């Protein structure tokens, strides 16, 4: 493999898009995976025009589904290695806890907790094979303390921070650094 690669969940817009643009400019192969496949493909096309034909690849990814993760990682990591995974996909519901429908709370947990856990777990073999790899999980300043109007979101980001701390210690033997960033 001639250059390092990075897989970004929720990579089609916002912070994920910024990460994709940054790493493409640094010469990395960038995987832009999102539930919004059209936006992911548009961003990949833009980056390929700007930085070279093999810079970016796009694909669909529903982080709630293990099978979707498996397919996306296998497609992107065709050499069997992954140098960096950014678990960026996330959603937010704002409002009083008791006034937000239960299905919205469940969706937030499925994306922000289950998605990060599954992505981390299923990417581990690819990261381990690469050696000196990095897993970056997006937490939030909302994980500093529980916040009203963001109760479940805040709790989900506490999970991300705790998982990241634990995996950083556990995966040190595999030469995988694990970090959470808190925008």
């Amino acid at each position: 493999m001639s250059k390092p690669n990075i897989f970004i969940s929720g990579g089609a817009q916002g912070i994920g898009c910024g990460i994709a643009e940054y790493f493409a400019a640094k010469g990395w192969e960038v995987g832009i995976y999102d539930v919004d496949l059209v936006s992911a493909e548009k961003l990949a096309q833009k980056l390929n025009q700007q930085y070279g034909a093999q810079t970016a690849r796009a694909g669909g990814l529903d982080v709630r589904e293990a099978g979707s993760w498996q397919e996306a990682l296998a497609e992107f990591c065709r050499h069997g290695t992954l140098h960096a995974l950014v678990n960026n996909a996330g959603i937010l519901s704002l409002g009083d806890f008791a006034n937000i429908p239960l299905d919205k709370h469940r969706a937030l947990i499925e994306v922000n907790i289950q998605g990060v856990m599954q992505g981390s777990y299923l990417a581990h073999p690819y990261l381990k094979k690469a050696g000196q790899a990095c897993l970056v999980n997006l937490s939030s300043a909302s994980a500093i303390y529980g916040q009203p109007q963001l109760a479940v979101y805040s709790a989900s980001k506490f999970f991300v921070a705790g998982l990241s701390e634990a995996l950083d210690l556990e995966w040190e033997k595999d030469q995988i650094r694990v970090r959470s960033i808190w925008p």
Side-chain angles (χ1 to χ4, degrees):
M1 184 179 301
S2 60
K3 57 186 175 177
N5 60 358
I6 183 169
F7 183 106
I8 307 159
S9 73
Q13 54 193 322
I15 292 171
C17 173
I19 293 167
E21 290 172 339
Y22 176 83
F23 280 90
K26 296 293 183 184
W28 286 52
E29 179 185 6
V30 177
I32 304 161
Y33 287 79
D34 204 294
V35 291
D36 182 355
L37 180 57
V38 172
S39 294
E41 288 174 337
K42 285 181 184 176
L43 178 57
Q45 182 179 26
K46 173 188 159 192
L47 296 177
N48 286 333
Q49 289 171 348
Q50 195 169 358
Y51 299 109
Q54 297 299 314
T55 298
R57 288 192 288 144
L61 174 64
D62 182 344
V63 298
R64 301 169 302 171
E65 302 294 331
S68 185
W69 270 109
Q70 290 168 325
E71 288 176 24
L73 286 165
E75 185 274 326
F76 182 69
C77 304
R78 60 192 183 281
H79 299 290
T81 59
L82 180 61
H83 295 94
L85 166 64
V86 178
N87 274 317
N88 173 65
I91 60 174
L92 180 142
S93 293
L94 178 65
D96 289 338
F97 176 80
N99 293 334
I100 296 172
L102 191 55
D103 63 329
K104 287 196 173 198
H105 287 309
R106 280 194 195 108
L108 193 146
I109 289 168
E110 289 173 356
V111 172
N112 295 6
I113 293 177
Q114 184 176 313
V116 170
M117 183 271 302
Q118 291 184 141
S120 301
Y121 181 86
L122 295 168
H124 179 264
Y126 298 104
L127 295 164
K128 183 177 179 179
K129 187 174 179 184
Q132 300 300 316
C134 188
L135 167 62
V136 177
N137 295 322
L138 264 75
S139 185
S140 169
S142 296
I144 296 169
Y145 57 87
Q147 294 183 312
Q149 305 286 305
L150 292 170
V152 175
Y153 176 80
S154 183
S156 75
K157 295 306 181 173
F158 272 89
F159 171 89
V160 171
L163 179 69
S164 299
E165 287 178 17
L167 291 181
D168 187 46
L169 297 169
E170 188 175 316
W171 288 0
E172 182 178 20
K173 68 185 180 310
D174 298 328
Q175 298 181 20
I176 302 168
R177 292 173 315 218
V178 182
R179 303 291 183 261
S180 62
I181 57 175
W182 299 34

